[in-house]
């Protein structure tokens, strides 16, 4: 697990097992007059990283504070999903 993992010119909040990126969106990032531009840049960034084969899970910081069990369950499900896929592919 790597915090602030560098992927090209970007940084991922958390990189797990070399393929799963966990992004935690802060409350302030998407507020303000330039919210449209922020969304465009974030979409472009996510697309570029995803096109390299990474799987990206996004969470609001509020979810981690108020429902950490949901966060844990979703991350575990993503990690378990690769085991199911590998078993199917043989």
């Amino acid at each position: 697990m790597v915090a602030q993992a560098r992927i090209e010119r970007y940084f991922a909040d958390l990189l797990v097992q070399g393929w799963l990126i966990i992004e935690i969106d802060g409350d302030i990032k998407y507020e303000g007059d330039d919210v449209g531009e922020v969304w465009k840049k974030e979409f472009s960034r996510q697309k570029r990283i995803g096109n390299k084969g990474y799987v990206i899970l996004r969470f609001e910081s509020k979810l981690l504070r108020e429902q950490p069990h949901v966060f844990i369950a979703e991350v575990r499900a993503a990690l378990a999903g690769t085991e199911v896929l590998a078993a199917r592919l043989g």
Side-chain angles (χ1 to χ4, degrees):
M1 192 175 326
V2 179
Q4 293 300 304
R6 187 175 183 94
I7 301 170
E8 290 189 350
R9 64 180 194 216
Y10 305 107
F11 287 91
D13 290 340
L14 192 60
L15 178 62
V16 181
Q17 295 185 359
W19 62 271
L20 178 63
I21 293 175
I22 298 172
E23 289 288 326
I24 310 301
D25 293 328
D27 298 330
I28 296 176
K29 184 174 188 173
Y30 300 109
E31 295 177 0
D33 295 337
D34 62 344
V35 70
E37 190 61 33
V38 170
W39 272 109
K40 283 183 193 177
K41 286 181 181 176
E42 191 60 32
F43 177 78
S44 177
R45 173 186 174 273
Q46 184 165 330
K47 183 172 60 170
R48 187 162 178 101
I49 293 170
N51 287 350
K52 295 203 161 292
Y54 294 93
V55 174
I56 302 169
L57 300 181
R58 298 194 79 89
F59 299 94
E60 293 179 7
S61 57
K62 181 180 178 180
L63 178 78
L64 271 72
R65 288 191 307 271
E66 296 178 4
Q67 297 179 297
H69 60 284
V70 173
F71 166 76
I72 292 167
E74 289 190 29
V75 171
R76 284 184 175 161
L79 292 169
T82 60
E83 294 169 10
V84 171
L85 180 60
R88 286 185 185 162
L89 295 175

